[in-house]
Amino acid sequence: MNDLDYIVLAAQLAKKADKALTFENPRVGALIVKNDVILSTGYHEKFGNNHAEINAFNNLANKLDVVDATLYVTLEPCAVDGKVSSCAREISNWHLNRVVIGDLDPNPDTHGLGVEILRGAGINVTVLNTKHSFEINSEFYFYFEKRLPYVQLKLATSRNGFVSNSSDHRLKLTDYTADQDVHHERAKRSAIIIGSQTFLKDRPLLNVRYNTISHNQPLRIVIDRRARLKKFANQLDTNWLIYTEDIDFYKSFDYVLLMNDGLMGVLKDLKSKHIQSVLVEGGPTLLQSFLDENLWNEMIIYQTDHLILDGNLEVVLPKIKPIEKNHVGNSNKIIYVNSTKGNL
């Protein structure tokens, strides 16, 4: 096997990780190889826990076997201390012969620093510049390369394409199994965005309840251009943000922010707050705005088996082929990806 073959295997390991658990960290896989024998493997399993390289080292039956071995890893080892210590510095103490890296860190602040540390320790480093890490971690790369959050849209519809009926009451479309899947999607995201109408009609909690997570709950955001939430604002806790165009509302609460430059301005402001990805859950008017302005990366439709005869709200879906369809509970889960990235 050659270097590329081993990186392909490492990428397969990376895919074992659940994005809902790795959260804002990239999914990474690693192998330790010596004399064409794979001695151990590892991948990053959970946000805040050991990275792939450290797990591969810890999985060695005999730690001394690492001497003069080759480490294969899909993404450049981290160079700075964070929730865990710098992997590049730890690897420098293993007395490896080589380190083969699939791709460099897309974060401009740390790009190439891991390689610099390893080479400074006298280790032979090869960077293959493969696309495996990019394909596995599209949100992570998008955030650092475009300097904007990755935008995922989510919508539940009836079998005939409506999202609500003529009633003012909340209409529940997805069943428990589909709801579990929605919460799994929520667990992957830094923030959840809704419009003021969804807040007023549904009063959603917008948290992760059906999945166990070790990272923070997503930040909850309401787009409220006309200050319709003014009388509710003092009831919200610190994990909410409201964006408005109403100056008086903006001046009244610390967590109410002025909405400049529309939805793009909101995304730019969220990037300044280190929000890597957002899930836009509705309502249909807000989702349609993201679609119309081409400010989206991915869209998930939960097309349920319900039939709404008095429907009054629809969303114009992307005119592209979905990349994936599968059945979840009472819903067909349909996933679209905006390959052009639109105006993002």
mmCIF file of all heavy atoms in Angstrom, residues 140-186:
data_model
loop_
_atom_site.group_PDB
_atom_site.id
_atom_site.type_symbol
_atom_site.label_atom_id
_atom_site.label_comp_id
_atom_site.label_asym_id
_atom_site.label_seq_id
_atom_site.Cartn_x
_atom_site.Cartn_y
_atom_site.Cartn_z
ATOM 1 N N PHE A 140 -16.792 22.818 8.414
ATOM 2 C CA PHE A 140 -15.556 23.309 9.029
ATOM 3 C C PHE A 140 -14.740 24.112 8.008
ATOM 4 O O PHE A 140 -14.276 25.228 8.294
ATOM 5 C CB PHE A 140 -14.763 22.117 9.545
ATOM 6 C CG PHE A 140 -13.491 22.447 10.276
ATOM 7 C CD1 PHE A 140 -13.520 22.922 11.579
ATOM 8 C CD2 PHE A 140 -12.261 22.257 9.672
ATOM 9 C CE1 PHE A 140 -12.339 23.214 12.259
ATOM 10 C CE2 PHE A 140 -11.082 22.542 10.334
ATOM 11 C CZ PHE A 140 -11.117 23.023 11.632
ATOM 12 N N TYR A 141 -14.585 23.567 6.825
ATOM 13 C CA TYR A 141 -13.814 24.257 5.782
ATOM 14 C C TYR A 141 -14.527 25.530 5.334
ATOM 15 O O TYR A 141 -13.885 26.574 5.126
ATOM 16 C CB TYR A 141 -13.598 23.327 4.589
ATOM 17 C CG TYR A 141 -12.429 22.390 4.755
ATOM 18 C CD1 TYR A 141 -12.516 21.262 5.557
ATOM 19 C CD2 TYR A 141 -11.225 22.621 4.093
ATOM 20 C CE1 TYR A 141 -11.442 20.396 5.711
ATOM 21 C CE2 TYR A 141 -10.140 21.764 4.233
ATOM 22 C CZ TYR A 141 -10.253 20.652 5.052
ATOM 23 O OH TYR A 141 -9.185 19.808 5.197
ATOM 24 N N PHE A 142 -15.839 25.450 5.158
ATOM 25 C CA PHE A 142 -16.587 26.617 4.692
ATOM 26 C C PHE A 142 -16.429 27.785 5.665
ATOM 27 O O PHE A 142 -16.193 28.931 5.254
ATOM 28 C CB PHE A 142 -18.067 26.261 4.538
ATOM 29 C CG PHE A 142 -18.889 27.384 3.985
ATOM 30 C CD1 PHE A 142 -19.002 27.572 2.618
ATOM 31 C CD2 PHE A 142 -19.542 28.274 4.828
ATOM 32 C CE1 PHE A 142 -19.753 28.620 2.103
ATOM 33 C CE2 PHE A 142 -20.288 29.327 4.323
ATOM 34 C CZ PHE A 142 -20.398 29.498 2.950
ATOM 35 N N TYR A 143 -16.543 27.504 6.948
ATOM 36 C CA TYR A 143 -16.454 28.548 7.961
ATOM 37 C C TYR A 143 -15.118 29.284 7.892
ATOM 38 O O TYR A 143 -15.069 30.523 7.945
ATOM 39 C CB TYR A 143 -16.660 27.935 9.345
ATOM 40 C CG TYR A 143 -16.410 28.869 10.506
ATOM 41 C CD1 TYR A 143 -17.338 29.838 10.856
ATOM 42 C CD2 TYR A 143 -15.232 28.776 11.246
ATOM 43 C CE1 TYR A 143 -17.114 30.694 11.925
ATOM 44 C CE2 TYR A 143 -14.999 29.624 12.320
ATOM 45 C CZ TYR A 143 -15.942 30.580 12.648
ATOM 46 O OH TYR A 143 -15.708 31.424 13.711
ATOM 47 N N PHE A 144 -14.030 28.545 7.767
ATOM 48 C CA PHE A 144 -12.715 29.183 7.783
ATOM 49 C C PHE A 144 -12.326 29.765 6.426
ATOM 50 O O PHE A 144 -11.623 30.778 6.363
ATOM 51 C CB PHE A 144 -11.649 28.194 8.251
ATOM 52 C CG PHE A 144 -11.686 27.943 9.733
ATOM 53 C CD1 PHE A 144 -12.084 26.723 10.244
ATOM 54 C CD2 PHE A 144 -11.340 28.948 10.622
ATOM 55 C CE1 PHE A 144 -12.120 26.501 11.606
ATOM 56 C CE2 PHE A 144 -11.382 28.740 11.991
ATOM 57 C CZ PHE A 144 -11.776 27.513 12.487
ATOM 58 N N GLU A 145 -12.782 29.161 5.343
ATOM 59 C CA GLU A 145 -12.397 29.662 4.023
ATOM 60 C C GLU A 145 -13.270 30.827 3.570
ATOM 61 O O GLU A 145 -12.795 31.768 2.947
ATOM 62 C CB GLU A 145 -12.443 28.529 3.007
ATOM 63 C CG GLU A 145 -11.357 27.477 3.246
ATOM 64 C CD GLU A 145 -11.412 26.323 2.267
ATOM 65 O OE1 GLU A 145 -12.394 26.247 1.481
ATOM 66 O OE2 GLU A 145 -10.479 25.493 2.270
ATOM 67 N N LYS A 146 -14.564 30.766 3.878
ATOM 68 C CA LYS A 146 -15.483 31.832 3.459
ATOM 69 C C LYS A 146 -15.738 32.852 4.567
ATOM 70 O O LYS A 146 -16.341 33.894 4.333
ATOM 71 C CB LYS A 146 -16.816 31.229 3.016
ATOM 72 C CG LYS A 146 -16.708 30.258 1.862
ATOM 73 C CD LYS A 146 -16.189 30.931 0.610
ATOM 74 C CE LYS A 146 -16.176 29.960 -0.548
ATOM 75 N NZ LYS A 146 -15.665 30.604 -1.802
ATOM 76 N N ARG A 147 -15.309 32.523 5.788
ATOM 77 C CA ARG A 147 -15.498 33.403 6.944
ATOM 78 C C ARG A 147 -16.972 33.742 7.160
ATOM 79 O O ARG A 147 -17.344 34.882 7.453
ATOM 80 C CB ARG A 147 -14.648 34.665 6.811
ATOM 81 C CG ARG A 147 -13.157 34.372 6.801
ATOM 82 C CD ARG A 147 -12.299 35.620 6.812
ATOM 83 N NE ARG A 147 -10.893 35.289 6.927
ATOM 84 C CZ ARG A 147 -10.255 35.073 8.077
ATOM 85 N NH1 ARG A 147 -10.914 35.171 9.211
ATOM 86 N NH2 ARG A 147 -8.969 34.780 8.107
ATOM 87 N N LEU A 148 -17.809 32.726 7.017
ATOM 88 C CA LEU A 148 -19.235 32.821 7.281
ATOM 89 C C LEU A 148 -19.705 31.492 7.860
ATOM 90 O O LEU A 148 -19.100 30.446 7.598
ATOM 91 C CB LEU A 148 -20.023 33.097 5.989
ATOM 92 C CG LEU A 148 -19.965 34.500 5.399
ATOM 93 C CD1 LEU A 148 -20.604 34.504 4.018
ATOM 94 C CD2 LEU A 148 -20.664 35.510 6.309
ATOM 95 N N PRO A 149 -20.795 31.481 8.621
ATOM 96 C CA PRO A 149 -21.318 30.205 9.091
ATOM 97 C C PRO A 149 -21.882 29.378 7.932
ATOM 98 O O PRO A 149 -22.408 29.926 6.959
ATOM 99 C CB PRO A 149 -22.447 30.623 10.054
ATOM 100 C CG PRO A 149 -22.240 32.065 10.336
ATOM 101 C CD PRO A 149 -21.544 32.638 9.147
ATOM 102 N N TYR A 150 -21.783 28.084 8.074
ATOM 103 C CA TYR A 150 -22.427 27.145 7.153
ATOM 104 C C TYR A 150 -23.921 27.187 7.438
ATOM 105 O O TYR A 150 -24.352 27.108 8.590
ATOM 106 C CB TYR A 150 -21.858 25.755 7.399
ATOM 107 C CG TYR A 150 -22.355 24.657 6.496
ATOM 108 C CD1 TYR A 150 -21.660 24.313 5.339
ATOM 109 C CD2 TYR A 150 -23.487 23.921 6.825
ATOM 110 C CE1 TYR A 150 -22.087 23.271 4.527
ATOM 111 C CE2 TYR A 150 -23.928 22.885 6.022
ATOM 112 C CZ TYR A 150 -23.221 22.564 4.871
ATOM 113 O OH TYR A 150 -23.655 21.528 4.081
ATOM 114 N N VAL A 151 -24.748 27.328 6.396
ATOM 115 C CA VAL A 151 -26.188 27.505 6.571
ATOM 116 C C VAL A 151 -26.933 26.254 6.105
ATOM 117 O O VAL A 151 -26.885 25.873 4.938
ATOM 118 C CB VAL A 151 -26.702 28.728 5.789
ATOM 119 C CG1 VAL A 151 -28.225 28.865 5.946
ATOM 120 C CG2 VAL A 151 -26.003 30.000 6.260
ATOM 121 N N GLN A 152 -27.624 25.628 7.052
ATOM 122 C CA GLN A 152 -28.459 24.461 6.768
ATOM 123 C C GLN A 152 -29.918 24.851 7.009
ATOM 124 O O GLN A 152 -30.264 25.360 8.070
ATOM 125 C CB GLN A 152 -28.071 23.293 7.675
ATOM 126 C CG GLN A 152 -28.865 22.011 7.440
ATOM 127 C CD GLN A 152 -28.546 20.953 8.486
ATOM 128 O OE1 GLN A 152 -28.586 21.212 9.688
ATOM 129 N NE2 GLN A 152 -28.198 19.763 8.033
ATOM 130 N N LEU A 153 -30.758 24.637 6.020
ATOM 131 C CA LEU A 153 -32.185 24.911 6.144
ATOM 132 C C LEU A 153 -32.913 23.613 6.451
ATOM 133 O O LEU A 153 -32.558 22.552 5.949
ATOM 134 C CB LEU A 153 -32.740 25.509 4.843
ATOM 135 C CG LEU A 153 -31.982 26.696 4.232
ATOM 136 C CD1 LEU A 153 -32.671 27.138 2.950
ATOM 137 C CD2 LEU A 153 -31.884 27.849 5.210
ATOM 138 N N LYS A 154 -33.963 23.699 7.261
ATOM 139 C CA LYS A 154 -34.750 22.512 7.614
ATOM 140 C C LYS A 154 -36.230 22.858 7.568
ATOM 141 O O LYS A 154 -36.645 23.910 8.061
ATOM 142 C CB LYS A 154 -34.343 22.002 8.994
ATOM 143 C CG LYS A 154 -35.268 20.926 9.578
ATOM 144 C CD LYS A 154 -36.179 21.518 10.622
ATOM 145 C CE LYS A 154 -37.300 20.598 11.034
ATOM 146 N NZ LYS A 154 -38.201 21.213 12.044
ATOM 147 N N LEU A 155 -37.006 21.963 6.976
ATOM 148 C CA LEU A 155 -38.435 22.211 6.836
ATOM 149 C C LEU A 155 -39.191 20.892 6.892
ATOM 150 O O LEU A 155 -38.758 19.890 6.314
ATOM 151 C CB LEU A 155 -38.714 22.899 5.497
ATOM 152 C CG LEU A 155 -40.137 23.403 5.249
ATOM 153 C CD1 LEU A 155 -40.443 24.582 6.169
ATOM 154 C CD2 LEU A 155 -40.305 23.831 3.794
ATOM 155 N N ALA A 156 -40.309 20.894 7.604
ATOM 156 C CA ALA A 156 -41.218 19.742 7.608
ATOM 157 C C ALA A 156 -42.454 20.113 6.803
ATOM 158 O O ALA A 156 -43.030 21.194 6.991
ATOM 159 C CB ALA A 156 -41.604 19.374 9.036
ATOM 160 N N THR A 157 -42.857 19.241 5.893
ATOM 161 C CA THR A 157 -44.010 19.525 5.036
ATOM 162 C C THR A 157 -44.994 18.359 5.059
ATOM 163 O O THR A 157 -44.671 17.248 5.473
ATOM 164 C CB THR A 157 -43.591 19.768 3.578
ATOM 165 O OG1 THR A 157 -43.230 18.508 2.969
ATOM 166 C CG2 THR A 157 -42.427 20.732 3.475
ATOM 167 N N SER A 158 -46.183 18.631 4.592
ATOM 168 C CA SER A 158 -47.161 17.571 4.382
ATOM 169 C C SER A 158 -46.813 16.822 3.099
ATOM 170 O O SER A 158 -45.920 17.223 2.340
ATOM 171 C CB SER A 158 -48.555 18.172 4.263
ATOM 172 O OG SER A 158 -48.643 18.978 3.090
ATOM 173 N N ARG A 159 -47.544 15.753 2.853
ATOM 174 C CA ARG A 159 -47.321 14.964 1.643
ATOM 175 C C ARG A 159 -47.562 15.798 0.381
ATOM 176 O O ARG A 159 -46.920 15.588 -0.643
ATOM 177 C CB ARG A 159 -48.244 13.741 1.670
ATOM 178 C CG ARG A 159 -48.111 12.780 0.505
ATOM 179 C CD ARG A 159 -48.592 11.384 0.895
ATOM 180 N NE ARG A 159 -49.778 11.417 1.732
ATOM 181 C CZ ARG A 159 -51.018 11.195 1.281
ATOM 182 N NH1 ARG A 159 -51.230 10.977 0.009
ATOM 183 N NH2 ARG A 159 -52.041 11.190 2.135
ATOM 184 N N ASN A 160 -48.459 16.780 0.490
ATOM 185 C CA ASN A 160 -48.762 17.628 -0.665
ATOM 186 C C ASN A 160 -48.053 18.983 -0.603
ATOM 187 O O ASN A 160 -48.440 19.937 -1.276
ATOM 188 C CB ASN A 160 -50.273 17.811 -0.828
ATOM 189 C CG ASN A 160 -50.965 18.304 0.433
ATOM 190 O OD1 ASN A 160 -50.461 18.123 1.538
ATOM 191 N ND2 ASN A 160 -52.124 18.914 0.277
ATOM 192 N N GLY A 161 -47.006 19.087 0.226
ATOM 193 C CA GLY A 161 -46.098 20.227 0.150
ATOM 194 C C GLY A 161 -46.384 21.422 1.029
ATOM 195 O O GLY A 161 -45.673 22.419 0.974
ATOM 196 N N PHE A 162 -47.417 21.349 1.882
ATOM 197 C CA PHE A 162 -47.730 22.477 2.747
ATOM 198 C C PHE A 162 -47.029 22.334 4.102
ATOM 199 O O PHE A 162 -46.758 21.231 4.561
ATOM 200 C CB PHE A 162 -49.243 22.581 2.972
ATOM 201 C CG PHE A 162 -50.002 22.999 1.748
ATOM 202 C CD1 PHE A 162 -50.719 22.064 1.004
ATOM 203 C CD2 PHE A 162 -50.003 24.319 1.329
ATOM 204 C CE1 PHE A 162 -51.413 22.445 -0.134
ATOM 205 C CE2 PHE A 162 -50.698 24.710 0.194
ATOM 206 C CZ PHE A 162 -51.404 23.771 -0.538
ATOM 207 N N VAL A 163 -46.778 23.491 4.740
ATOM 208 C CA VAL A 163 -46.127 23.480 6.055
ATOM 209 C C VAL A 163 -47.094 23.853 7.168
ATOM 210 O O VAL A 163 -46.779 23.709 8.345
ATOM 211 C CB VAL A 163 -44.901 24.420 6.089
ATOM 212 C CG1 VAL A 163 -43.865 23.966 5.092
ATOM 213 C CG2 VAL A 163 -45.311 25.868 5.813
ATOM 214 N N SER A 164 -48.266 24.357 6.820
ATOM 215 C CA SER A 164 -49.273 24.672 7.832
ATOM 216 C C SER A 164 -50.643 24.736 7.179
ATOM 217 O O SER A 164 -50.766 24.753 5.949
ATOM 218 C CB SER A 164 -48.958 26.003 8.528
ATOM 219 O OG SER A 164 -49.155 27.080 7.644
ATOM 220 N N ASN A 165 -51.663 24.774 8.020
ATOM 221 C CA ASN A 165 -53.023 24.923 7.503
ATOM 222 C C ASN A 165 -53.525 26.331 7.797
ATOM 223 O O ASN A 165 -52.775 27.202 8.218
ATOM 224 C CB ASN A 165 -53.944 23.857 8.105
ATOM 225 C CG ASN A 165 -53.926 23.869 9.627
ATOM 226 O OD1 ASN A 165 -53.583 24.883 10.246
ATOM 227 N ND2 ASN A 165 -54.287 22.759 10.238
ATOM 228 N N SER A 166 -54.817 26.543 7.598
ATOM 229 C CA SER A 166 -55.372 27.886 7.773
ATOM 230 C C SER A 166 -55.585 28.267 9.235
ATOM 231 O O SER A 166 -55.905 29.403 9.548
ATOM 232 C CB SER A 166 -56.709 27.985 7.028
ATOM 233 O OG SER A 166 -57.594 26.971 7.486
ATOM 234 N N SER A 167 -55.375 27.307 10.144
ATOM 235 C CA SER A 167 -55.557 27.576 11.570
ATOM 236 C C SER A 167 -54.373 28.357 12.130
ATOM 237 O O SER A 167 -53.256 28.294 11.620
ATOM 238 C CB SER A 167 -55.699 26.256 12.325
ATOM 239 O OG SER A 167 -55.592 26.448 13.715
ATOM 240 N N ASP A 168 -54.625 29.095 13.212
ATOM 241 C CA ASP A 168 -53.547 29.814 13.899
ATOM 242 C C ASP A 168 -52.817 28.918 14.899
ATOM 243 O O ASP A 168 -51.827 29.330 15.497
ATOM 244 C CB ASP A 168 -54.112 31.031 14.653
ATOM 245 C CG ASP A 168 -54.528 32.141 13.704
ATOM 246 O OD1 ASP A 168 -53.944 32.221 12.607
ATOM 247 O OD2 ASP A 168 -55.442 32.909 14.064
ATOM 248 N N HIS A 169 -53.327 27.703 15.087
ATOM 249 C CA HIS A 169 -52.731 26.797 16.052
ATOM 250 C C HIS A 169 -51.559 26.032 15.442
ATOM 251 O O HIS A 169 -51.502 25.780 14.228
ATOM 252 C CB HIS A 169 -53.775 25.802 16.575
ATOM 253 C CG HIS A 169 -54.935 26.463 17.256
ATOM 254 N ND1 HIS A 169 -54.803 27.151 18.442
ATOM 255 C CD2 HIS A 169 -56.248 26.555 16.899
ATOM 256 C CE1 HIS A 169 -55.971 27.634 18.798
ATOM 257 N NE2 HIS A 169 -56.876 27.287 17.883
ATOM 258 N N ARG A 170 -50.659 25.636 16.302
ATOM 259 C CA ARG A 170 -49.488 24.874 15.853
ATOM 260 C C ARG A 170 -49.920 23.536 15.254
ATOM 261 O O ARG A 170 -50.782 22.850 15.808
ATOM 262 C CB ARG A 170 -48.557 24.632 17.037
ATOM 263 C CG ARG A 170 -47.294 23.880 16.648
ATOM 264 C CD ARG A 170 -46.457 23.556 17.864
ATOM 265 N NE ARG A 170 -45.228 22.888 17.488
ATOM 266 C CZ ARG A 170 -44.413 22.290 18.333
ATOM 267 N NH1 ARG A 170 -44.718 22.267 19.620
ATOM 268 N NH2 ARG A 170 -43.313 21.714 17.924
ATOM 269 N N LEU A 171 -49.326 23.183 14.131
ATOM 270 C CA LEU A 171 -49.610 21.914 13.475
ATOM 271 C C LEU A 171 -48.366 21.041 13.525
ATOM 272 O O LEU A 171 -47.327 21.398 12.974
ATOM 273 C CB LEU A 171 -50.028 22.154 12.017
ATOM 274 C CG LEU A 171 -50.329 20.911 11.180
ATOM 275 C CD1 LEU A 171 -51.538 20.177 11.743
ATOM 276 C CD2 LEU A 171 -50.561 21.289 9.718
ATOM 277 N N LYS A 172 -48.441 19.913 14.188
ATOM 278 C CA LYS A 172 -47.308 18.990 14.335
ATOM 279 C C LYS A 172 -47.350 17.987 13.191
ATOM 280 O O LYS A 172 -48.318 17.259 13.016
ATOM 281 C CB LYS A 172 -47.398 18.266 15.679
ATOM 282 C CG LYS A 172 -46.160 17.425 15.988
ATOM 283 C CD LYS A 172 -45.015 18.307 16.449
ATOM 284 C CE LYS A 172 -43.858 17.469 16.967
ATOM 285 N NZ LYS A 172 -43.171 16.703 15.908
ATOM 286 N N LEU A 173 -46.281 17.934 12.410
ATOM 287 C CA LEU A 173 -46.236 17.056 11.244
ATOM 288 C C LEU A 173 -45.363 15.828 11.467
ATOM 289 O O LEU A 173 -45.750 14.715 11.108
ATOM 290 C CB LEU A 173 -45.735 17.831 10.015
ATOM 291 C CG LEU A 173 -46.653 18.934 9.489
ATOM 292 C CD1 LEU A 173 -45.968 19.711 8.376
ATOM 293 C CD2 LEU A 173 -47.963 18.338 8.975
ATOM 294 N N THR A 174 -44.184 16.008 12.050
ATOM 295 C CA THR A 174 -43.253 14.893 12.222
ATOM 296 C C THR A 174 -43.597 14.070 13.459
ATOM 297 O O THR A 174 -44.100 14.602 14.447
ATOM 298 C CB THR A 174 -41.809 15.403 12.349
ATOM 299 O OG1 THR A 174 -41.765 16.454 13.343
ATOM 300 C CG2 THR A 174 -41.312 15.955 11.022
ATOM 301 N N ASP A 175 -43.309 12.769 13.409
ATOM 302 C CA ASP A 175 -43.541 11.903 14.565
ATOM 303 C C ASP A 175 -42.289 11.847 15.446
ATOM 304 O O ASP A 175 -41.291 12.534 15.182
ATOM 305 C CB ASP A 175 -43.994 10.510 14.127
ATOM 306 C CG ASP A 175 -42.921 9.743 13.347
ATOM 307 O OD1 ASP A 175 -41.771 10.235 13.248
ATOM 308 O OD2 ASP A 175 -43.234 8.649 12.835
ATOM 309 N N TYR A 176 -42.334 11.034 16.491
ATOM 310 C CA TYR A 176 -41.242 10.984 17.466
ATOM 311 C C TYR A 176 -39.918 10.575 16.822
ATOM 312 O O TYR A 176 -38.866 11.169 17.097
ATOM 313 C CB TYR A 176 -41.604 10.008 18.598
ATOM 314 C CG TYR A 176 -40.517 9.864 19.644
ATOM 315 C CD1 TYR A 176 -40.318 10.856 20.599
ATOM 316 C CD2 TYR A 176 -39.688 8.745 19.656
ATOM 317 C CE1 TYR A 176 -39.312 10.733 21.560
ATOM 318 C CE2 TYR A 176 -38.682 8.621 20.611
ATOM 319 C CZ TYR A 176 -38.503 9.612 21.556
ATOM 320 O OH TYR A 176 -37.506 9.490 22.483
ATOM 321 N N THR A 177 -39.954 9.579 15.938
ATOM 322 C CA THR A 177 -38.714 9.111 15.303
ATOM 323 C C THR A 177 -38.103 10.192 14.429
ATOM 324 O O THR A 177 -36.885 10.411 14.441
ATOM 325 C CB THR A 177 -38.980 7.843 14.472
ATOM 326 O OG1 THR A 177 -39.541 6.838 15.314
ATOM 327 C CG2 THR A 177 -37.694 7.318 13.847
ATOM 328 N N ALA A 178 -38.941 10.886 13.667
ATOM 329 C CA ALA A 178 -38.437 11.992 12.845
ATOM 330 C C ALA A 178 -37.916 13.124 13.730
ATOM 331 O O ALA A 178 -36.902 13.760 13.415
ATOM 332 C CB ALA A 178 -39.526 12.495 11.911
ATOM 333 N N ASP A 179 -38.607 13.367 14.857
ATOM 334 C CA ASP A 179 -38.144 14.398 15.796
ATOM 335 C C ASP A 179 -36.757 14.066 16.352
ATOM 336 O O ASP A 179 -35.922 14.955 16.539
ATOM 337 C CB ASP A 179 -39.124 14.548 16.957
ATOM 338 C CG ASP A 179 -40.401 15.259 16.548
ATOM 339 O OD1 ASP A 179 -40.418 15.875 15.475
ATOM 340 O OD2 ASP A 179 -41.372 15.190 17.313
ATOM 341 N N GLN A 180 -36.514 12.807 16.634
ATOM 342 C CA GLN A 180 -35.190 12.390 17.099
ATOM 343 C C GLN A 180 -34.126 12.747 16.072
ATOM 344 O O GLN A 180 -33.035 13.206 16.413
ATOM 345 C CB GLN A 180 -35.168 10.882 17.372
ATOM 346 C CG GLN A 180 -35.880 10.453 18.633
ATOM 347 C CD GLN A 180 -35.793 8.956 18.839
ATOM 348 O OE1 GLN A 180 -36.184 8.152 17.986
ATOM 349 N NE2 GLN A 180 -35.259 8.555 19.985
ATOM 350 N N ASP A 181 -34.457 12.538 14.803
ATOM 351 C CA ASP A 181 -33.510 12.859 13.737
ATOM 352 C C ASP A 181 -33.287 14.368 13.645
ATOM 353 O O ASP A 181 -32.153 14.825 13.436
ATOM 354 C CB ASP A 181 -34.029 12.318 12.403
ATOM 355 C CG ASP A 181 -32.963 12.341 11.325
ATOM 356 O OD1 ASP A 181 -32.052 11.494 11.365
ATOM 357 O OD2 ASP A 181 -33.018 13.234 10.448
ATOM 358 N N VAL A 182 -34.343 15.150 13.822
ATOM 359 C CA VAL A 182 -34.208 16.605 13.821
ATOM 360 C C VAL A 182 -33.270 17.051 14.941
ATOM 361 O O VAL A 182 -32.395 17.903 14.740
ATOM 362 C CB VAL A 182 -35.589 17.283 13.980
ATOM 363 C CG1 VAL A 182 -35.423 18.789 14.212
ATOM 364 C CG2 VAL A 182 -36.449 17.035 12.750
ATOM 365 N N HIS A 183 -33.417 16.465 16.113
ATOM 366 C CA HIS A 183 -32.557 16.836 17.241
ATOM 367 C C HIS A 183 -31.118 16.400 17.008
ATOM 368 O O HIS A 183 -30.183 17.058 17.477
ATOM 369 C CB HIS A 183 -33.111 16.245 18.538
ATOM 370 C CG HIS A 183 -34.263 17.032 19.071
ATOM 371 N ND1 HIS A 183 -34.209 17.751 20.243
ATOM 372 C CD2 HIS A 183 -35.503 17.237 18.567
ATOM 373 C CE1 HIS A 183 -35.361 18.353 20.444
ATOM 374 N NE2 HIS A 183 -36.173 18.047 19.444
ATOM 375 N N HIS A 184 -30.943 15.317 16.274
ATOM 376 C CA HIS A 184 -29.588 14.906 15.893
ATOM 377 C C HIS A 184 -28.968 15.952 14.973
ATOM 378 O O HIS A 184 -27.774 16.277 15.092
ATOM 379 C CB HIS A 184 -29.639 13.535 15.210
ATOM 380 C CG HIS A 184 -28.309 12.946 14.930
ATOM 381 N ND1 HIS A 184 -27.750 12.937 13.674
ATOM 382 C CD2 HIS A 184 -27.390 12.351 15.746
ATOM 383 C CE1 HIS A 184 -26.568 12.347 13.722
ATOM 384 N NE2 HIS A 184 -26.322 11.995 14.964
ATOM 385 N N GLU A 185 -29.752 16.511 14.068
ATOM 386 C CA GLU A 185 -29.260 17.588 13.197
ATOM 387 C C GLU A 185 -28.963 18.837 14.024
ATOM 388 O O GLU A 185 -27.962 19.520 13.797
ATOM 389 C CB GLU A 185 -30.284 17.909 12.107
ATOM 390 C CG GLU A 185 -30.523 16.786 11.101
ATOM 391 C CD GLU A 185 -29.310 16.488 10.234
ATOM 392 O OE1 GLU A 185 -28.434 17.369 10.102
ATOM 393 O OE2 GLU A 185 -29.241 15.374 9.685
ATOM 394 N N ARG A 186 -29.826 19.144 14.981
ATOM 395 C CA ARG A 186 -29.580 20.303 15.850
ATOM 396 C C ARG A 186 -28.255 20.185 16.590
ATOM 397 O O ARG A 186 -27.536 21.170 16.770
ATOM 398 C CB ARG A 186 -30.710 20.436 16.876
ATOM 399 C CG ARG A 186 -32.010 20.983 16.362
ATOM 400 C CD ARG A 186 -33.021 21.092 17.504
ATOM 401 N NE ARG A 186 -34.282 21.679 17.073
ATOM 402 C CZ ARG A 186 -35.314 21.901 17.864
ATOM 403 N NH1 ARG A 186 -35.227 21.568 19.158
ATOM 404 N NH2 ARG A 186 -36.416 22.450 17.407
#
